[in-house]
Amino acid sequence: MHRLAGLFFLFACTWIIADTQEETEIKFAFYSSAWGENTDDGLRFVAYNQTANPIRLHSIVFKNSINVADQVAINLDLLVPARGYAEVEIDYIDLLQGDECVDRTLSDNWRLVEISNYTLNPSVRNLIIENTDSFRIYQFVKTVTTRWTDLTSDEPMQTIEWVLYHFETRRD
């Protein structure tokens, strides 16, 4: 009986986590021309608030599963209207160093396109791909904590969710 209850609890927790991840209320993405051009350009951050209330997006903290001291906190303090978009340019913050998967991917002639909490596909980026042998998309996952406040209720919110590093390459 205890095993059955334990399995049910594990299933319920897994379902809640998966459901929360799929239905995140704030969609966002980071972009930087520095990733492909070796420049010192900053980061562009775009957020979409899917809720019926305006929010203040405080921060996104990139987690490092190996070393907590290597976490990267990005403070945004960004007002995002209800069911609306907001964006901000910030100084460059290195989101690529210290991750074996990023290092390995970049050394294989891939280029980072964006980091977002939604799945990227060619139609999202307005790409027309006629020859799939010359273009590929590769993604991998990292965990972040997103913090914001619902400005109507003044309720602080926090989610632990995934972001996807979206890479693309064209064969020579």
Side-chain angles (χ1 to χ4, degrees), residues 53-54 149-157:
N53 299 328
T149 299
D150 179 317
L151 296 177
T152 301
S153 67
D154 208 29
E155 180 181 1
M157 308 291 282

Side-chain angles (χ1 to χ4, degrees), residues 9-21:
F9 178 74
L10 180 62
F11 172 76
C13 290
T14 304
W15 180 78
I16 290 168
I17 290 169
D19 186 51
T20 301
Q21 180 61 40

Side-chain angles (χ1 to χ4, degrees), residues 5-41:
L7 286 173
F8 176 75
F9 178 74
L10 180 62
F11 172 76
C13 290
T14 304
W15 180 78
I16 290 168
I17 290 169
D19 186 51
T20 301
Q21 180 61 40
E22 275 301 310
E23 298 301 322
T24 184
E25 296 174 311
I26 313 302
K27 300 283 187 186
F28 62 83
F30 290 93
Y31 306 92
S32 180
S33 58
W35 294 334
E37 306 300 326
N38 295 323
T39 65
D40 61 355
D41 293 346

Side-chain angles (χ1 to χ4, degrees), residues 117-130:
N117 67 344
Y118 56 84
T119 302
L120 178 69
N121 64 51
S123 64
V124 170
R125 299 198 61 243
N126 297 320
L127 296 174
I128 298 172
I129 301 173
E130 295 178 10

